[in-house]
Amino acid sequence: METLIDPFARAISYLRVSVTDRCDFRCTYCMAEHMQFLPKKDLLTLEELDRLCSRFIRLGVGKLRITGGEPLVRKGIMTFFQAMSRHLETGALNELTLTTNGSQLARFAADLAAVGVRRVNVSLDTLDPAKFAAITRWGRLDQVMEGIRAARAAGLRIKINAVALKGFNEDELFTLTDWCAGEGHDLTFIEVMPMGEMGEEMRLDQYWPLKDLRARLAERFTLSDLAERSGGPARYVRINETGQKVGFITPLSHNFCESCNRVRVTCTGELYMCLGQEDMADLRAPLRASADDAPLEQAIRAAIARKPKGHDFDYSRQAVRGQVSRHMSHTGG
Ligand code: SAM
Ligand code: SF4
């Protein structure tokens, strides 16, 4: 079977799937406090998610990341992980992983490890309980810490993702770095992105360019650039003094699109070929129209043929340009 290659000769090998738009947190940069969630009938069922992911895997996707909203609040989600593990067993899938806020990890870590998940990304922007409560609105730091401990006890490798927020976690740069080094967690900083309608002013206020963050890190440590790329917006450095690897996800200030190997599917089955563009293809209709996967595959191929060369986010000239109206919880971060 022919694998998915886009018009710029990029092989599509990485699929990120959002399994719910719901979440038990309300991070200020991600969601409004009173979110209108989608009616259940609009969401792909677990069976539909299985068909969709399995088709992508047949078409050459080797890495599958489950996200949301908060993926671990989706009812029955372990059934889906269990189902996906069959593709790990056949070797068609190399990696099954997830991005989570960690709140439910204490419950699910052992089950995730049992179905073949090896690594999890846990989003954590601060180690201060009061600041954590403020940024997540509804979250509790101790619950996430317990989840992280459970994940480690289950043998999962942990990568901490921290959104860099000016005036919020600037003062925790070294605390976070030291904590991750001490615990053996990888660490990646994410530049805040202009998603949703959060208000232009607030966004520009919060924007802490990672080149500034990196410069701060370099005041204390010697950093060596690593050649390693993930096919995505992350770049890595090694802290020579500790050997620790630190990632930077800078979708706004770096051009990473030439190596882009990924696409995203929302919880309603919309396939987004680029995080920063509005163009998408509806995969729910072909999924529901026929029990046969031919229309689905056709829709996927037609969409990949339209994958754009790159995106246009730009914070320059004090205006948020190229802004897209979706929230991250919709597209799946
Ligand atoms: N709920 C899970 C979590 O928090 O890890 C998965 C979904 S969340 C949308 C995925 C990632 O997107 C998180 O690391 C979160 O910090 C990040 N994120 C959300 N809104 C963002 C924004 N406006 N800019 C940059 N990153 C954002
Ligand atoms: Fe929920 Fe993740 Fe968005 Fe926070 S970043 S509100 S945890 S989906």
Side-chain angles (χ1 to χ4, degrees):
M1 184 170 303
E2 248 180 89
T3 56
L4 300 171
I5 312 279
D6 80 359
F8 304 95
R10 297 170 297 194
I12 306 306
S13 56
Y14 182 8
L15 175 66
R16 300 167 76 106
V17 180
S18 170
V19 294
T20 178
D21 60 334
R22 283 159 205 267
C23 186
D24 51 348
F25 291 0
R26 289 291 181 279
C27 303
T28 55
Y29 49 77
C30 178
M31 289 194 186
E33 183 151 19
H34 302 287
M35 291 287 287
Q36 272 281 0
F37 291 111
L38 295 161
K40 201 165 159 238
K41 66 170 177 29
D42 289 356
L43 299 195
L44 298 186
T45 64
L46 295 177
E47 293 73 23
E48 287 166 344
L49 282 166
D50 185 335
R51 271 180 68 198
L52 183 141
C53 294
S54 299
R55 181 52 47 172
F56 269 102
I57 293 164
R58 283 195 67 179
L59 295 175
V61 161
K63 178 171 176 180
L64 181 61
R65 178 177 297 280
I66 307 307
T67 178
E70 173 47 41
L72 297 180
V73 303
R74 171 91 194 238
K75 211 168 151 210
I77 194 61
M78 280 316 302
T79 314
F80 172 74
F81 274 103
Q82 174 75 57
M84 286 303 102
S85 73
R86 72 182 186 272
H87 300 300
L88 290 171
E89 280 156 24
T90 64
L93 189 62
N94 305 319
E95 186 170 12
L96 174 61
T97 185
L98 70 154
T99 300
T100 173
N101 65 23
S103 69
Q104 309 300 315
L105 270 180
R107 254 168 84 199
F108 290 119
D111 293 345
L112 288 167
V115 300
V117 172
R118 295 283 161 259
R119 303 194 295 175
V120 287
N121 287 4
V122 181
S123 304
L124 181 62
D125 308 325
T126 172
L127 293 170
D128 177 303
K131 281 162 75 178
F132 186 85
I135 198 83
T136 62
R137 290 200 190 99
W138 295 3
R140 276 190 16 244
L141 182 63
D142 56 353
Q143 191 180 339
V144 171
M145 289 300 183
E146 194 193 335
I148 292 173
R149 282 192 293 274
R152 213 169 54 168
L156 299 174
R157 223 185 133 68
I158 294 154
K159 187 172 78 147
I160 300 295
N161 281 340
V163 175
L165 294 164
K166 208 180 188 91
F168 177 77
N169 57 10
E170 273 179 287
D171 57 340
E172 287 188 78
L173 175 60
F174 295 112
T175 329
L176 275 166
T177 312
D178 291 347
W179 176 73
C180 286
E183 297 290 315
H185 305 326
D186 290 330
L187 172 62
T188 290
F189 292 101
I190 310 178
E191 211 159 63
V192 76
M193 286 190 273
M195 308 297 282
E197 326 69 34
M198 311 292 291
E200 204 165 286
E201 216 170 296
M202 177 182 166
R203 268 307 139 76
L204 289 168
D205 272 4
Q206 290 186 319
Y207 182 49
W208 182 18
L210 291 192
K211 67 169 179 20
D212 296 355
L213 184 154
R214 188 193 153 123
R216 283 269 295 282
L217 211 54
E219 285 169 14
R220 194 169 120 186
F221 297 120
T222 317
L223 308 179
S224 308
D225 281 305
L226 297 178
E228 159 187 351
R229 295 299 305 267
S230 60
R235 284 174 194 272
Y236 298 93
V237 297
R238 171 93 52 212
I239 298 184
N240 291 0
E241 287 81 354
T242 62
Q244 191 180 3
K245 199 172 90 174
V246 177
F248 302 101
I249 299 187
T250 55
L252 302 165
S253 50
H254 266 287
N255 193 1
F256 60 87
C257 303
E258 73 283 353
S259 61
C260 183
N261 61 354
R262 61 195 58 195
V263 291
R264 294 173 166 76
V265 174
T266 68
C267 56
T268 57
E270 294 165 345
L271 170 63
Y272 281 92
M273 289 71 86
C274 171
L275 182 59
Q277 303 272 1
E278 300 279 4
D279 187 26
M280 57 91 172
D282 173 27
L283 300 182
R284 190 180 60 193
L287 266 169
R288 292 189 178 172
S290 164
D292 173 22
D293 280 351
L296 171 67
E297 182 176 330
Q298 205 175 14
I300 294 172
R301 289 194 185 280
I304 299 301
R306 304 202 302 271
K307 185 168 160 69
K309 193 163 177 210
H311 64 60
D312 325 303
F313 283 137
D314 183 7
Y315 273 111
S316 61
R317 291 187 289 131
Q318 292 300 297
V320 181
R321 299 195 182 286
Q323 178 162 354
V324 290
S325 56
R326 311 184 297 279
H327 283 101
M328 278 296 263
S329 55
H330 182 72
T331 329

